[in-house]
Amino acid sequence: MPTLEKLDDVFVLHLGDGENRFHPDWLTEVNALLDEVVKGDEPRALVTAATGKFWSNGLDLEWLFEHPEQYTAYGNRVHGLLARVLSLPFVTVAALQGHTFAAGAMLSLAHDFRVMRADRGFWCLPEADINIPFTHGMSALIQARLTPQTAHQAMVTAHRFGGHEAYTRQIVDSAVDEAEVRSAAIALAQSHLAKAGPTLETIKTRMYAGVLEALRDFADPRG
């Protein structure tokens, strides 16, 4: 399960050491830990990290297929997390040490910055290959955070971007050696500590007003 630690004024949210899929219990714990970061008013920033082969593989499809009656409630919770991270009142950095797929990739896009391992691991939106259409909210988020050409390739072809390519295509802000991913993310977060507060939250909320509205208006993409 996710955990939280504080390094000086940077909070590090550890997603876990497995596939870090969005199981309902996992969503509950992540939101509870974000509550801990949000409730303070001191200078602070957030790094979201993981351990092992994956940063996050996104939706817990196994759980969802076993609980189809929970589809709408689950979708609302996932969208709620994406919207929350996108508008947090402090700077957020995703430290991508491993594979970052599907809704996991979308969660990374909801962060202000992304630092990715250069030599191994992929960032990918595989929905076209697994026959799961993007919701309106997901589409809005992706298209707001990527260039039109990159968004088109990522969404239509399910291309797997390695670290260097993800950097050149502006999906991530830097691609570094594995040992440097977390430290680089923390250093980047530390450089923006003083920005935390209601002004930054207002800026983000207004900047992404259309995305936030789409995420908070969940509708079944299957029609």
Side-chain angles (χ1 to χ4, degrees):
M1 292 296 287
T3 59
L4 185 70
E5 68 174 320
K6 189 177 182 183
L7 303 176
D8 294 324
D9 292 319
V10 175
F11 289 87
V12 180
L13 173 61
H14 297 270
L15 298 181
D17 59 3
E19 292 192 18
N20 305 323
R21 289 184 179 269
F22 296 6
H23 186 277
D25 293 341
W26 185 94
L27 291 170
T28 296
E29 188 61 25
V30 167
N31 275 299
L33 296 175
L34 289 177
D35 288 342
E36 292 295 312
V37 186
V38 169
K39 70 181 183 182
D41 57 4
E42 72 280 359
R44 62 203 186 282
L46 177 72
V47 168
T48 306
T51 303
K53 185 177 179 179
F54 299 92
W55 188 77
S56 174
N57 240 354
L59 302 184
D60 192 333
L61 296 177
E62 181 178 350
W63 180 90
L64 189 57
F65 292 153
E66 292 174 353
H67 302 83
E69 75 285 356
Q70 295 293 319
Y71 180 84
T72 299
Y74 180 75
N76 273 310
R77 294 192 68 190
V78 170
H79 278 59
L81 177 62
L82 297 176
R84 184 178 195 185
V85 173
L86 185 64
S87 56
L88 284 169
F90 39 79
V91 167
T92 58
V93 185
L96 310 177
Q97 93 300 336
H99 295 311
T100 304
F101 272 56
M106 297 174 216
L107 179 60
S108 77
L109 291 180
H111 288 69
D112 297 308
F113 303 102
R114 284 151 299 288
V115 177
M116 185 174 178
R117 179 177 173 176
D119 62 328
R120 295 185 67 182
F122 293 106
W123 188 100
C124 178
L125 297 172
E127 279 74 6
D129 283 341
I130 60 177
N131 296 314
I132 298 178
F134 299 98
T135 66
H136 291 299
M138 291 173 173
S139 296
L141 172 63
I142 296 163
Q143 291 175 277
R145 300 295 279 129
L146 300 180
T147 67
Q149 295 85 352
T150 300
H152 183 91
Q153 183 179 11
M155 298 173 76
V156 172
T157 73
H159 180 69
R160 296 186 176 197
F161 296 88
H164 288 299
E165 186 179 14
Y167 173 68
T168 61
R169 299 298 295 272
Q170 299 178 295
I171 297 171
V172 301
D173 299 277
S174 60
V176 300
D177 291 340
E178 178 187 9
E180 300 174 11
V181 172
R182 190 170 301 188
S183 60
I186 291 172
L188 178 56
Q190 286 176 325
S191 70
H192 295 289
L193 291 172
K195 295 180 176 66
T199 295
L200 185 62
E201 182 176 21
T202 299
I203 288 171
K204 292 184 183 182
T205 299
R206 292 176 178 173
M207 178 182 295
Y208 295 110
V211 178
L212 294 169
E213 181 180 2
L215 286 170
R216 290 165 178 160
D217 184 22
F218 177 74
D220 190 337
R222 300 169 297 181

